[in-house]
Protein backbone atom coordinates (compact mmCIF):
# COMPACT_ATOMS: atom_id res chain seq x y z
CA UNK A 1 0.00 0.00 0.00
CA UNK A 2 1.27 3.42 -0.86
CA UNK A 3 1.90 5.77 2.04
CA UNK A 4 1.40 9.47 1.33
CA UNK A 5 3.88 11.74 3.10
CA UNK A 6 3.20 15.42 3.79
CA UNK A 7 4.58 17.70 1.11
CA UNK A 8 6.97 20.55 1.71
CA UNK A 9 6.65 21.93 -1.83
CA UNK A 10 3.30 23.74 -1.70
CA UNK A 11 -0.19 22.98 -3.06
CA UNK A 12 0.88 22.28 -6.63
CA UNK A 13 3.42 19.61 -5.64
CA UNK A 14 0.95 18.14 -3.19
CA UNK A 15 -1.71 17.76 -5.90
CA UNK A 16 0.79 16.10 -8.20
CA UNK A 17 1.85 13.65 -5.47
CA UNK A 18 -1.78 12.84 -4.61
CA UNK A 19 -2.58 12.16 -8.24
CA UNK A 20 0.45 9.92 -8.59
CA UNK A 21 -0.44 7.98 -5.45
CA UNK A 22 -4.04 7.50 -6.59
CA UNK A 23 -3.12 6.35 -10.10
CA UNK A 24 0.60 5.56 -10.42
CA UNK A 25 0.23 4.47 -14.05
CA UNK A 26 -1.30 7.76 -15.25
CA UNK A 27 1.19 10.17 -16.73
CA UNK A 28 -0.09 13.77 -16.65
CA UNK A 29 1.72 16.88 -17.76
CA UNK A 30 4.04 18.05 -14.96
CA UNK A 31 2.44 21.51 -14.68
CA UNK A 32 -1.18 20.26 -14.62
CA UNK A 33 -1.58 20.89 -10.91
CA UNK A 34 -0.31 24.43 -11.28
CA UNK A 35 -2.74 25.09 -14.17
CA UNK A 36 -5.66 23.79 -12.12
CA UNK A 37 -4.74 25.94 -9.12
CA UNK A 38 -4.27 29.06 -11.24
CA UNK A 39 -7.64 28.54 -12.87
CA UNK A 40 -9.29 28.07 -9.49
CA UNK A 41 -7.69 31.27 -8.18
CA UNK A 42 -8.92 33.22 -11.22
CA UNK A 43 -12.44 31.92 -10.77
CA UNK A 44 -12.47 32.79 -7.07
CA UNK A 45 -11.19 36.31 -7.87
CA UNK A 46 -13.82 36.78 -10.58
CA UNK A 47 -16.55 35.73 -8.17
CA UNK A 48 -15.29 38.19 -5.54
CA UNK A 49 -15.19 41.04 -8.07
CA UNK A 50 -18.67 40.13 -9.26
CA UNK A 51 -20.02 40.30 -5.72
CA UNK A 52 -18.36 43.66 -5.13
CA UNK A 53 -19.71 45.04 -8.40
CA UNK A 54 -23.19 43.74 -7.65
CA UNK A 55 -23.05 45.26 -4.20
CA UNK A 56 -21.89 48.61 -5.53
CA UNK A 57 -24.53 48.61 -8.27
CA UNK A 58 -27.27 47.71 -5.81
CA UNK A 59 -26.11 50.50 -3.54
CA UNK A 60 -26.25 53.03 -6.37
CA UNK A 61 -29.73 51.96 -7.34
CA UNK A 62 -30.89 52.13 -3.73
CA UNK A 63 -29.33 55.55 -3.17
CA UNK A 64 -30.74 56.91 -6.43
CA UNK A 65 -34.22 55.59 -5.68
CA UNK A 66 -34.10 56.86 -2.12
CA UNK A 67 -32.94 60.28 -3.28
CA UNK A 68 -35.74 60.47 -5.83
CA UNK A 69 -38.33 59.42 -3.27
CA UNK A 70 -36.94 61.91 -0.77
CA UNK A 71 -36.73 64.90 -3.14
CA UNK A 72 -39.96 64.45 -5.10
CA UNK A 73 -42.65 66.57 -3.53
CA UNK A 74 -40.24 68.68 -1.47
CA UNK A 75 -40.14 71.55 -3.95
CA UNK A 76 -42.34 74.58 -3.30
CA UNK A 77 -43.42 74.40 -6.95
CA UNK A 78 -45.31 71.75 -8.89
CA UNK A 79 -46.48 71.63 -12.51
CA UNK A 80 -49.96 70.47 -13.50
CA UNK A 81 -51.58 70.10 -16.90
CA UNK A 82 -55.09 71.51 -17.26
CA UNK A 83 -57.39 68.67 -18.40
CA UNK A 84 -60.67 70.58 -18.68
CA UNK A 85 -62.23 73.72 -20.17
CA UNK A 86 -63.43 75.01 -16.77
CA UNK A 87 -60.86 77.86 -16.72
CA UNK A 88 -60.96 78.95 -20.36
CA UNK A 89 -59.98 81.43 -21.69
CA UNK A 90 -57.54 81.96 -18.80
CA UNK A 91 -56.11 78.43 -18.99
CA UNK A 92 -56.72 76.29 -22.05
CA UNK A 93 -56.92 72.52 -22.12
CA UNK A 94 -53.42 71.03 -22.26
CA UNK A 95 -51.60 74.10 -20.96
CA UNK A 96 -49.20 73.64 -18.06
CA UNK A 97 -49.60 75.65 -14.86
CA UNK A 98 -46.89 76.12 -12.23
CA UNK A 99 -48.25 76.19 -8.70
CA UNK A 100 -46.67 77.33 -5.46
CA UNK A 101 -47.71 74.95 -2.70
CA UNK A 102 -46.70 77.33 0.09
CA UNK A 103 -48.72 80.40 -0.89
CA UNK A 104 -51.89 81.36 0.96
CA UNK A 105 -54.74 82.18 -1.46
CA UNK A 106 -55.91 85.73 -2.09
CA UNK A 107 -58.92 86.98 -4.03
CA UNK A 108 -58.39 86.50 -7.75
CA UNK A 109 -55.90 83.66 -7.39
CA UNK A 110 -56.26 80.59 -9.57
CA UNK A 111 -55.82 77.52 -7.39
CA UNK A 112 -55.91 73.74 -7.43
CA UNK A 113 -58.25 72.12 -4.92
CA UNK A 114 -58.90 68.48 -4.19
CA UNK A 115 -62.60 67.66 -4.42
CA UNK A 116 -64.70 64.54 -3.92
CA UNK A 117 -67.63 63.37 -6.03
CA UNK A 118 -69.45 60.04 -5.91
CA UNK A 119 -66.73 58.63 -3.67
CA UNK A 120 -63.89 59.62 -6.02
CA UNK A 121 -61.36 62.42 -5.44
CA UNK A 122 -60.09 64.67 -8.21
CA UNK A 123 -58.15 67.92 -8.64
CA UNK A 124 -59.95 70.99 -9.98
CA UNK A 125 -58.52 74.33 -11.15
CA UNK A 126 -60.74 77.27 -10.15
CA UNK A 127 -60.50 80.94 -9.16
CA UNK A 128 -60.80 82.30 -5.62
CA UNK A 129 -63.58 84.88 -5.52
CA UNK A 130 -64.35 84.97 -1.81
CA UNK A 131 -62.40 84.47 1.43
CA UNK A 132 -63.76 83.61 4.89
CA UNK A 133 -66.35 86.19 5.95
CA UNK A 134 -66.98 87.51 2.43
CA UNK A 135 -70.48 87.61 0.95
CA UNK A 136 -70.63 86.54 -2.73
CA UNK A 137 -73.59 86.63 -5.08
CA UNK A 138 -74.68 87.38 -8.61
CA UNK A 139 -78.03 89.17 -8.49
CA UNK A 140 -80.33 89.21 -11.48
CA UNK A 141 -80.72 92.55 -13.25
CA UNK A 142 -83.81 93.97 -15.00
CA UNK A 143 -83.38 91.51 -17.87
CA UNK A 144 -83.15 88.53 -15.52
CA UNK A 145 -79.45 88.15 -16.24
CA UNK A 146 -76.55 88.81 -13.87
CA UNK A 147 -74.41 91.70 -15.00
CA UNK A 148 -71.58 91.13 -12.51
CA UNK A 149 -70.61 89.07 -9.46
CA UNK A 150 -70.84 91.14 -6.30
CA UNK A 151 -68.35 90.85 -3.43
CA UNK A 152 -69.58 92.40 -0.18
CA UNK A 153 -72.00 94.56 -2.20
CA UNK A 154 -69.38 95.73 -4.74
CA UNK A 155 -69.22 94.59 -8.36
CA UNK A 156 -66.16 92.50 -9.15
CA UNK A 157 -64.34 93.48 -12.38
CA UNK A 158 -63.69 90.29 -14.32
CA UNK A 159 -62.13 91.34 -17.62
CA UNK A 160 -60.47 87.90 -17.90
CA UNK A 161 -63.85 86.23 -18.50
CA UNK A 162 -64.17 87.21 -22.14
CA UNK A 163 -67.67 86.62 -23.50
CA UNK A 164 -68.76 84.11 -20.86
CA UNK A 165 -72.06 84.80 -19.08
CA UNK A 166 -72.65 84.22 -15.35
CA UNK A 167 -76.10 83.00 -14.48
CA UNK A 168 -77.61 84.59 -11.34
CA UNK A 169 -76.98 82.86 -8.03
CA UNK A 170 -77.96 83.88 -4.49
CA UNK A 171 -75.58 85.58 -2.07
CA UNK A 172 -73.47 83.30 0.12
CA UNK A 173 -71.40 84.19 3.18
CA UNK A 174 -68.17 82.20 3.17
CA UNK A 175 -67.67 80.27 6.43
CA UNK A 176 -64.43 80.32 8.41
CA UNK A 177 -61.55 78.27 6.96
CA UNK A 178 -63.25 78.08 3.55
CA UNK A 179 -63.05 79.83 0.16
CA UNK A 180 -65.62 80.49 -2.57
CA UNK A 181 -64.47 79.37 -6.02
CA UNK A 182 -65.71 80.05 -9.54
CA UNK A 183 -64.50 78.73 -12.87
CA UNK A 184 -63.75 81.34 -15.51
CA UNK A 185 -65.81 79.35 -18.01
CA UNK A 186 -69.03 79.76 -16.07
CA UNK A 187 -71.09 77.75 -18.55
CA UNK A 188 -69.26 74.47 -17.82
CA UNK A 189 -67.45 74.89 -14.49
CA UNK A 190 -68.52 72.81 -11.49
CA UNK A 191 -67.73 75.32 -8.75
CA UNK A 192 -69.00 76.79 -5.47
CA UNK A 193 -72.30 77.76 -7.09
CA UNK A 194 -73.11 74.04 -7.05
CA UNK A 195 -70.79 72.42 -4.48
CA UNK A 196 -70.62 75.28 -1.98
CA UNK A 197 -67.49 76.83 -0.43
CA UNK A 198 -64.38 74.62 -0.31
CA UNK A 199 -62.19 74.05 2.76
CA UNK A 200 -58.76 75.67 2.86
CA UNK A 201 -57.33 72.27 3.77
CA UNK A 202 -58.39 71.05 0.30
CA UNK A 203 -56.14 73.63 -1.36
CA UNK A 204 -53.04 72.11 -2.96
CA UNK A 205 -51.43 75.09 -4.69
CA UNK A 206 -51.72 78.64 -6.04
CA UNK A 207 -50.96 79.29 -9.72
CA UNK A 208 -47.97 81.57 -10.39
CA UNK A 209 -47.50 81.16 -14.14
CA UNK A 210 -48.93 79.47 -17.22
CA UNK A 211 -47.01 77.78 -20.03
CA UNK A 212 -48.70 77.30 -23.38
CA UNK A 213 -48.13 74.42 -25.80
CA UNK A 214 -45.22 76.25 -27.46
CA UNK A 215 -43.42 76.74 -24.14
CA UNK A 216 -44.21 80.45 -23.86
CA UNK A 217 -44.71 81.52 -20.24
CA UNK A 218 -47.20 84.16 -19.10
CA UNK A 219 -48.65 85.42 -15.85
CA UNK A 220 -52.12 84.48 -14.59
CA UNK A 221 -54.71 86.98 -15.90
CA UNK A 222 -56.81 88.60 -13.17
CA UNK A 223 -54.66 87.19 -10.37
CA UNK A 224 -52.22 88.99 -8.06
CA UNK A 225 -48.63 88.76 -9.32
CA UNK A 226 -46.66 86.02 -7.59
CA UNK A 227 -42.98 85.23 -8.23
CA UNK A 228 -42.41 82.07 -10.24
CA UNK A 229 -39.63 79.56 -9.73
CA UNK A 230 -36.16 81.02 -10.13
CA UNK A 231 -33.12 79.45 -11.70
CA UNK A 232 -32.27 77.58 -8.49
CA UNK A 233 -35.80 76.48 -7.65
CA UNK A 234 -36.86 72.91 -8.28
CA UNK A 235 -40.23 72.28 -9.94
CA UNK A 236 -41.90 68.92 -9.44
CA UNK A 237 -43.05 67.34 -12.71
CA UNK A 238 -46.66 67.13 -13.81
CA UNK A 239 -48.67 64.53 -12.00
CA UNK A 240 -50.65 64.20 -8.81
CA UNK A 241 -50.28 67.34 -6.75
CA UNK A 242 -48.44 66.74 -3.46
CA UNK A 243 -50.17 68.11 -0.33
CA UNK A 244 -49.81 71.83 0.21
CA UNK A 245 -49.01 73.71 3.37
CA UNK A 246 -52.16 75.77 3.80
CA UNK A 247 -51.96 78.91 5.90
CA UNK A 248 -54.44 81.64 6.86
CA UNK A 249 -55.25 83.78 3.79
CA UNK A 250 -53.95 87.32 3.78
Amino acid sequence: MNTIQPSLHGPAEELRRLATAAAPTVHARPDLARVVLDRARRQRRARRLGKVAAGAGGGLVMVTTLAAATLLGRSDYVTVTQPSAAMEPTVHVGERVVLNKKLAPTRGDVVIVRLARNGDTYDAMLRVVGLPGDTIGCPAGPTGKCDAVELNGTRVPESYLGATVTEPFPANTVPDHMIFLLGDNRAVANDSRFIGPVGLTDLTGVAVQIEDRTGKVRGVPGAPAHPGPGGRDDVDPAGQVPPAGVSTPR
Side-chain angles (χ1 to χ4, degrees):
M1 182 176 67
N2 294 321
T3 301
I4 301 176
Q5 300 295 329
S7 172
L8 301 177
H9 300 284
E13 181 63 21
E14 184 67 18
L15 278 176
R16 188 183 65 78
R17 290 172 58 83
L18 287 172
T20 302
T25 60
V26 176
H27 298 283
R29 50 185 287 187
D31 62 343
L32 179 61
R34 176 63 61 187
V35 171
V36 172
L37 285 174
D38 288 344
R39 182 176 299 173
R41 289 191 189 100
R42 286 195 297 271
Q43 290 174 345
R44 285 197 301 271
R45 184 171 182 272
R47 284 195 295 270
R48 284 198 302 271
L49 289 174
K51 290 179 180 178
V52 171
L60 289 174
V61 171
M62 179 183 68
V63 169
T64 302
T65 304
L66 183 60
T70 301
L71 294 176
L72 185 61
R74 291 187 62 183
S75 170
D76 287 350
Y77 298 95
V78 64
T79 300
V80 299
T81 300
Q82 171 66 327
S84 77
M87 283 300 296
E88 291 185 345
T90 301
V91 185
H92 296 281
V93 175
E95 290 190 315
R96 294 160 62 89
V97 179
V98 178
L99 307 167
N100 187 322
K101 298 181 293 178
K102 302 298 184 183
L103 282 179
T106 59
R107 296 184 191 92
D109 275 328
V110 172
V111 300
I112 290 283
V113 288
R114 189 151 294 165
L115 303 177
R117 181 172 57 190
N118 299 327
D120 296 323
T121 59
Y122 64 98
D123 292 322
M125 188 179 299
L126 298 166
R127 188 182 294 271
V128 178
V129 182
L131 298 176
D134 287 339
T135 298
I136 307 293
C138 197
T143 62
K145 298 294 184 179
C146 174
D147 294 328
V149 171
E150 292 187 359
L151 169 68
N152 300 325
T154 301
R155 293 162 65 100
V156 179
E158 296 183 297
S159 57
Y160 47 81
L161 292 183
T164 190
V165 175
T166 306
E167 293 295 326
F169 63 89
N172 297 266
T173 298
V174 184
D176 290 342
H177 312 297
M178 305 194 86
I179 48 180
F180 193 92
L181 304 169
L182 292 176
D184 286 359
N185 189 351
R186 304 279 160 84
V188 302
N190 184 38
D191 50 33
S192 291
R193 294 172 296 168
F194 311 108
I195 63 175
V198 175
L200 279 168
T201 54
D202 296 318
L203 176 76
T204 55
V206 174
V208 296
Q209 63 186 34
I210 304 168
E211 180 182 331
D212 67 18
R213 291 177 179 271
T214 68
K216 184 179 180 180
V217 175
R218 66 182 186 274
V220 183
H226 298 298
R232 295 186 178 182
D233 291 318
D234 293 326
V235 181
D236 290 336
Q240 188 175 25
V241 183
V246 179
S247 57
T248 304
R250 295 186 293 273

